[in-house]
Amino acid sequence: MGKYRNIVILTGAGVSAESGIDTFRSAGGLWENHRVEDVATPQAFVRDPDLVHRFYDMRRAAIQEKLPNPAHDALAELDARWTGDLLIVTQNVDDLHERAGARRVLHMHGEHLKAWCTSCDLRSPWRTTLIERPPCPVCQARTLRPDVVWFGEMPYRMGEIYAALRSADLFVSIGTSGAVYPAAGFVRDARELGAQTLELNLERSQGSRWFHESRLGPASEVVPVWVEEVLA
Ligand code: OAD
């Protein structure tokens, strides 16, 4: 296993871009033709729940049509073969890491394929639409919302993430712009805690200067090369 034992990997929209899922900060700051604040905040949901449901219903349907790409496949292989600690912390709400076969995945921004009942707090697997206000499978209340973290809400499982960062000797960031905190701060946390830090991204990101090394290129190319190297 060479010089590393415990790895934390942070992935962002760039890892799924070649599967055909749009990144957030591509063309003109719009996200699938919507302003983020119109569809991805708790205030937006109060103001216009139909718009928010329609948007997430479309995204939920769309991701089910997409397939993992070689970057997801390579990370799944790493997960299967790495005998040290490994945690893939993803900001993505798609399930492409899991569909590629990765097991040690933590969705810090939630998951498209779950619905959260704000009455009984249960999270249920969910593949269809929410706009018609279906009942919660447990408490029957018609108060389901997408189980995704919106702007102004706390990302999930931060305690587990920081525990993994504390014991990591390698932190790798893949396909993320470094624009959204707290994820954007993980590189500095990992570095201060003594880990080596590597960025794999299409282009230099806002956070590039914090990494010991940045390798630029499409995830489907640079991730398999890096995985082969770390497993050698
Ligand atoms: P962004 O859209 O901000 O950044 C995507 C990054 O991926 C950019 O740096 C691109 O250069 C890079 N990229 C694009 N195509 C790539 C490819 N083929 N290979 C490698 N890299 C590529 O997406 P995130 O950083 O994931 O939060 O955004 C972070 C968070 O902001 C999201 O989780 C979401 C969003 O608002 C919430 O919804 C809470």
Side-chain angles (χ1 to χ4, degrees):
M1 287 207 314
K3 49 187 175 163
Y4 303 117
R5 174 104 205 128
N6 300 328
I7 304 177
V8 173
I9 297 171
L10 173 69
T11 68
V15 85
S16 294
E18 290 162 89
S19 295
I21 300 178
D22 275 359
T23 61
F24 294 92
R25 290 174 185 78
S26 37
L30 288 181
W31 177 32
E32 303 235 325
N33 302 318
H34 288 84
R35 292 186 315 149
V36 162
E37 53 272 33
D38 290 339
V39 288
T41 64
Q43 294 79 5
F45 192 51
V46 170
R47 195 168 53 237
D48 193 346
D50 280 356
L51 173 74
V52 174
H53 275 312
R54 203 174 303 117
F55 178 77
Y56 283 95
D57 284 352
M58 275 172 42
R59 299 277 297 182
R60 194 178 306 107
I63 63 149
Q64 296 181 64
E65 305 286 308
K66 311 296 182 192
L67 295 172
N69 68 54
H72 300 105
D73 294 339
L75 293 175
E77 189 190 347
L78 179 66
D79 183 18
R81 292 176 51 192
W82 191 256
T83 55
D85 286 349
L86 174 82
L87 184 63
I88 301 172
V89 178
T90 187
Q91 300 168 87
N92 298 343
V93 291
D94 65 54
D95 64 338
L96 295 181
H97 284 306
E98 288 89 342
R99 271 199 275 150
R103 294 282 169 270
R104 292 179 272 184
V105 181
L106 185 160
H107 283 271
M108 65 177 291
H109 289 165
E111 295 173 65
H112 268 324
L113 297 183
K114 284 189 183 162
W116 172 22
C117 176
T118 53
S119 297
C120 73
D121 207 31
L122 185 87
R123 266 108 178 152
S124 310
W126 206 268
R127 293 194 164 267
T128 56
T129 51
L130 290 172
I131 193 162
E132 60 289 296
R133 313 298 196 275
C136 167
V138 169
C139 77
Q140 308 301 317
R142 294 181 183 274
T143 52
L144 295 174
R145 59 162 270 187
D147 189 17
V148 296
V149 174
W150 287 326
F151 283 91
E153 296 181 327
M154 184 66 85
Y156 295 160
R157 299 166 67 183
M158 293 303 295
E160 279 171 72
I161 296 172
Y162 283 116
L165 287 172
R166 276 194 291 278
S167 67
D169 41 30
L170 178 63
F171 172 78
V172 185
S173 166
I174 305 174
T176 174
S177 60
V180 174
Y181 284 82
F186 292 165
V187 57
R188 272 170 282 173
D189 299 325
R191 223 181 142 133
E192 272 169 27
L193 291 162
Q196 276 294 306
T197 55
L198 168 67
E199 174 183 53
L200 307 174
N201 207 49
L202 189 60
E203 57 200 1
R204 280 185 67 77
S205 72
Q206 292 187 30
S208 286
R209 66 203 159 106
W210 301 107
F211 290 85
H212 291 105
E213 188 187 354
S214 289
R215 298 185 192 175
L216 304 186
S220 65
E221 293 174 19
V222 293
V223 176
V225 170
W226 169 70
V227 165
E228 207 171 298
E229 206 176 286
V230 81
L231 283 173

